């Protein structure tokens, strides 16, 4: 169980924060290429594309999902990892030791876990991070928002204030489940990425977060360094050559948590 400071230290130590920042930057750039206002694309399309791109990129960097090799496959697998991303995106992709980040889905919601922290994804409309209604999201997001925050015992005795000193977490994961909330507005080019512990408000005006911090923000996601105008969706092969990177793809991760992914 972790306090906010401990959770942030774990994110830094495991480099999940680096993974999320890299993934979001590349995902927003991909979404920027595909968005067509004249084709009727709206915020729902933006959220879905960001979600799908993020899942693909986080699995790509951590050797999970479709980037997990079977028992009869050997090799570094860099040829597979390069497909569908630009050379610059591949070059800047954070490299993780095998099995250091595992897939840890919760009730159909994709998650990635390391060092006692599990991260789920949630889209929101730009500028509305404090207005997310978890009760109107998936069952997974609603239940995760029911976790009680761990009070830092070094600040004061929580019990003296009638506060909970233990975090109640979904019983399939021995740790704290956080939410990475992402937003991109293709019309203005603005984007945001937050990480925090969600909360179901208890009264009018109550926050939807126990705490959250901003990992990334900017005025435009249309960066030529990350977007290749000759490619579109992940899966299209990049044409430029890059130096080989020693990346190992791990064995399959088996989980009983299956179901339909929730954006």
């Amino acid at each position: 169980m972790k306090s906010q400071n401990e959770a942030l230290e774990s994110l830094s130590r495991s480099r999940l924060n680096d993974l999320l920042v890299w993934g979001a930057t590349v995902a927003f750039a991909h979404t920027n290429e595909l968005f067509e206002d004249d084709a009727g694309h709206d915020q729902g399309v933006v959220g879905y594309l960001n979600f799908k791109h993020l899942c693909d990129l986080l699995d790509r960097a951590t050797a999970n999902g479709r980037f997990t090799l079977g028992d009869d496959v050997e090799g570094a697998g860099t040829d597979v990892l390069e497909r569908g991303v630009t050379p610059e995106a591949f070059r800047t992709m954070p490299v993780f030791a095998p099995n250091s980040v595992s897939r840890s889905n919760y009730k159909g919601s994709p998650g990635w876990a390391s060092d006692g922290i599990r991260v789920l994804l949630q889209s929101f409309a730009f500028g509305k991070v404090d207005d997310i209604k978890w009760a109107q999201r998936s069952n997974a997001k609603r239940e995760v928002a029911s976790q009680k925050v761990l009070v830092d015992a070094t600040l004061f005795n929580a019990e003296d204030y009638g506060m909970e000193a233990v975090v109640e977490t979904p019983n399939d994961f021995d740790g704290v489940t956080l939410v990475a909330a992402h937003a991109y507005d293709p019309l203005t080019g603005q984007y945001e990425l937050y990480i925090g512990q969600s909360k179901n408000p208890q009264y009018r005006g109550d926050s939807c977060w126990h705490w959250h911090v901003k990992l990334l923000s900017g005025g435009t996601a249309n960066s030529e360094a990350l977007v290749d105008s000759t490619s579109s969706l992940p899966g299209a092969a990049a044409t430029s050559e890059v130096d080989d990177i020693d990346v190992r793809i791990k064995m399959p991760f088996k989980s009983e948590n299956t179901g339909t992914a929730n954006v």
Side-chain angles (χ1 to χ4, degrees):
M1 306 306 175
K2 301 177 185 295
S3 66
Q4 174 181 346
N5 288 338
E6 290 173 329
L8 293 175
E9 289 174 0
S10 291
L11 287 168
S12 179
R13 185 165 53 245
S14 66
R15 297 178 59 235
L16 281 175
N17 54 355
D18 295 336
L19 174 66
L20 290 167
V21 169
W22 172 80
T25 303
V26 178
F28 295 156
H30 275 292
T31 298
N32 181 70
E33 273 201 319
L34 297 171
F35 179 81
E36 288 288 347
D37 186 40
D38 291 337
H41 290 181
D42 56 13
Q43 189 59 45
V45 173
V46 172
Y48 181 76
L49 287 175
N50 283 339
F51 171 76
K52 296 299 289 185
H53 291 155
L54 270 168
C55 287
D56 180 87
L57 292 162
L58 300 187
D59 278 345
R60 185 185 300 262
T62 60
N64 282 293
R66 71 186 183 94
F67 299 99
T68 303
L69 292 184
D71 296 341
D72 58 343
V73 179
E74 297 180 358
T78 54
D79 58 329
V80 176
L81 294 176
E82 289 180 84
R83 296 174 189 165
V85 296
T86 65
E88 178 65 13
F90 181 71
R91 183 187 66 79
T92 58
M93 182 178 72
V95 178
F96 292 87
N99 304 307
S100 61
V101 178
S102 63
R103 259 300 195 125
S104 181
N105 302 343
Y106 183 58
K107 292 192 173 181
S109 186
W112 294 261
S114 183
D115 198 35
I117 295 289
R118 171 169 60 186
V119 177
L120 306 182
L121 302 175
Q122 180 62 57
S123 64
F124 68 96
F126 181 84
K128 302 294 185 179
V129 69
D130 293 315
D131 299 322
I132 300 174
K133 293 179 174 57
W134 304 109
Q136 298 178 9
R137 304 292 177 165
S138 65
N139 289 335
K141 302 298 171 49
R142 182 171 61 252
E143 291 188 14
V144 165
S146 297
Q147 295 177 115
K148 291 183 172 62
V149 69
L150 177 65
V151 178
D152 193 336
T154 62
L155 298 180
F156 53 84
N157 188 335
E159 294 181 355
D160 291 344
Y161 290 82
M163 301 181 68
E164 295 285 345
V166 177
V167 179
E168 297 178 359
T169 60
N171 58 17
D172 71 320
F173 180 69
D174 186 17
V176 176
T177 301
L178 304 180
V179 176
H182 56 91
Y184 170 55
D185 186 338
L187 298 180
T188 65
Q190 294 174 292
Y191 56 89
E192 297 175 307
L193 174 68
Y194 290 84
I195 187 74
Q197 186 173 345
S198 56
K199 183 179 81 169
N200 290 315
Q202 300 299 309
Y203 51 86
R204 183 183 295 274
D206 191 16
S207 175
C208 61
W209 298 93
H210 285 295
W211 60 267
H212 64 293
V213 297
K214 183 183 292 185
L215 294 180
L216 178 70
S217 66
T220 177
N222 189 14
S223 170
E224 292 183 357
L226 295 178
V227 179
D228 183 352
S229 60
T230 63
S231 64
S232 53
L233 282 169
T239 57
S240 301
E241 296 183 356
V242 296
D243 294 334
D244 288 340
I245 298 177
D246 186 14
V247 180
R248 294 178 58 191
I249 297 184
K250 68 183 183 183
M251 307 308 291
F253 172 75
K254 297 180 180 179
S255 172
E256 296 180 355
N257 295 311
T258 59
T260 302
N262 295 298
V263 179

